[in-house]
């Protein structure tokens, strides 16, 4: 009787364990394997494991970028000098210089020197181009000079270049578009005057911008009167009231034809 009870107990335990295994443990293992992709070793390229890990030095990368930037500007500057005596080939050389300077801007978008040079080259190319192409180049120049002004505050050359870009654009436009460009030039010349009240290029360019505006919309137009009032106050402040400039401006306003003067150099290159 005792053997029978012991055998029955063992049988019950074995059956219970088997049931638990087949109904609980085995289904979970199958589910886990189905949900997870089989583990496979990553493909190894021959010799890769022997290659050292190269650490990138941020300071060295910046230094390399600055060196390349400077090389681009140096090459662009050489092309500008060559263009001075290149005659019919000047525009080709200036276009190549523009590519070099723009590459420098791409490397260092906030570069004062690169943006100033891009503006200068665009101005030079505009002087050689027909009106549609010149307008586009002058707009680019104004943007580049403005960017240079943001990169280095208080440099009068950026105001001279930007205002002259608007001035030259106004000379090539007509009616309302010309008037808007003359006003843009006048406003930038005013900003330049606040930076450097004694700068003659600012004061002469400013006077020519107001004269162009008056010839476009009329001497008694409100924008002309407002601009001229500010200009006369500036002339009074310049060296305590420079009579030579008062006389010069009177001559500009009385001239039969608009007075034109070339943009002065915006970079000290020597």
């Amino acid at each position: 009787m005792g053997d029978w009870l012991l055998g029955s107990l063992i049988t019950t335990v074995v059956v219970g364990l088997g049931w638990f295994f087949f109904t609980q443990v085995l289904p979970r293992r199958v589910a886990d394997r189905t949900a997870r992709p089989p583990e496979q070793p990553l493909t190894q390229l021959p010799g890769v494991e022997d290659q050292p890990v190269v650490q990138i030095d941020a300071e060295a990368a910046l230094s390399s970028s600055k060196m390349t930037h400077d090389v681009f500007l140096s090459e662009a500057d050489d092309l500008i000098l060559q263009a001075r005596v290149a005659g019919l080939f000047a525009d080709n050389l200036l276009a190549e210089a523009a590519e070099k300077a723009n590459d420098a801007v791409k490397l260092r978008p906030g570069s004062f020197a690169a943006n100033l040079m891009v503006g200068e080259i665009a101005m030079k190319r505009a002087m050689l181009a027909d009106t549609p192409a010149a307008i586009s180049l002058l707009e680019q120049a104004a943007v580049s000079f403005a960017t240079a002004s943001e990169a280095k505050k208080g440099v009068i050359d950026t105001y001279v270049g930007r205002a002259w870009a608007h001035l030259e654009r106004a000379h090539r436009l007509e009616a309302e578009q010309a008037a808007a460009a003359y006003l843009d030039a006048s406003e930038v010349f005013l900003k330049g005057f606040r930076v450097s009240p004694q700068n003659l290029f600012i004061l002469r360019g400013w006077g020519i911008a107001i004269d162009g505006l008056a010839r476009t919309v009329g001497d008694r137009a409100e924008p002309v009167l407002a601009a001229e009032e500010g200009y006369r106050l500036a002339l009074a402040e310049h060296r305590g009231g420079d009579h030579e400039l008062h006389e010069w401006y009177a001559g500009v306003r009385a001239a039969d034809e608009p007075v034109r003067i070339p943009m002065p150099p915006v970079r000290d290159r020597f």
Side-chain angles (χ1 to χ4, degrees):
M1 183 69 177
D3 293 340
W4 179 83
L5 288 175
L6 180 61
S8 177
L9 180 60
I10 293 173
T11 301
T12 301
V13 171
V14 171
V15 171
L17 290 174
W19 178 86
F20 179 81
F21 177 82
F22 285 104
T23 60
Q24 299 294 323
V25 177
L26 185 61
R28 287 184 181 179
R29 289 186 177 180
V30 172
D32 289 343
R33 180 165 292 277
T34 303
R36 184 181 61 192
E39 296 181 1
Q40 296 179 353
L42 296 175
T43 301
Q44 296 290 330
L45 295 177
V48 169
E49 64 277 3
D50 298 329
Q51 298 297 320
V53 177
V54 179
Q55 299 293 337
I56 298 176
D57 188 333
E59 185 175 348
L62 287 174
S63 177
S64 176
S65 172
K66 177 65 167 59
M67 289 178 59
T68 307
H69 160 276
D70 292 348
V71 169
F72 281 142
L73 291 189
S74 177
E75 292 176 349
D77 205 34
D78 287 341
L79 290 165
I80 293 172
L81 291 174
Q82 293 177 42
R84 287 184 177 182
V85 294
L88 296 176
F89 300 100
D91 188 54
N92 292 336
L93 290 169
L94 290 172
E96 189 176 348
E99 292 181 3
K100 299 285 186 181
N102 279 310
D103 285 340
V105 170
K106 291 175 184 176
L107 280 174
R108 299 174 69 86
S111 167
F112 169 80
N115 281 287
L116 189 68
M117 185 181 286
V118 168
E120 177 194 10
I121 295 170
M123 289 292 297
K124 291 181 179 296
R125 295 184 67 197
M127 297 301 102
L128 301 175
D130 55 18
T131 295
I135 295 298
S136 177
L137 287 166
L138 291 168
E139 290 172 347
Q140 295 173 26
V143 172
S144 294
F145 285 127
T147 305
S149 182
E150 290 298 315
K152 186 180 290 187
K153 303 286 187 181
V155 179
I156 193 61
D157 291 340
T158 62
Y159 294 95
V160 171
R162 182 181 171 192
W164 231 279
H166 290 308
L167 186 59
E168 291 292 345
R169 187 165 56 90
H171 292 337
R172 291 162 172 75
L173 296 172
E174 297 179 355
E176 294 181 357
Q177 290 183 322
Y182 280 124
L183 275 175
D184 288 340
S186 179
E187 290 174 359
V188 179
F189 279 125
L190 172 57
K191 293 177 181 177
F193 174 77
R194 289 170 177 163
V195 170
S196 180
Q198 306 306 325
N199 189 287
L200 285 174
F201 293 127
I202 287 289
L203 289 167
R204 292 185 186 279
W206 191 2
I208 290 173
I210 296 173
D211 177 65
L213 179 63
R215 291 175 189 268
T216 304
V217 300
D219 292 345
R220 306 306 299 172
E222 184 176 344
V224 176
L225 296 176
E228 200 162 52
E229 180 182 2
Y231 183 62
R232 293 190 186 280
L233 290 173
L235 291 184
E237 182 179 341
H238 174 74
R239 299 189 188 282
D242 194 318
H243 295 291
E244 184 260 331
L245 279 174
H246 282 283
E247 294 171 3
W248 172 84
Y249 180 64
V252 169
R253 295 293 291 112
D256 293 333
E257 297 293 332
V259 174
R260 301 283 188 269
I261 57 178
M263 186 185 81
V266 294
R267 288 187 303 133
D268 182 7
R269 300 161 64 224
F270 302 102

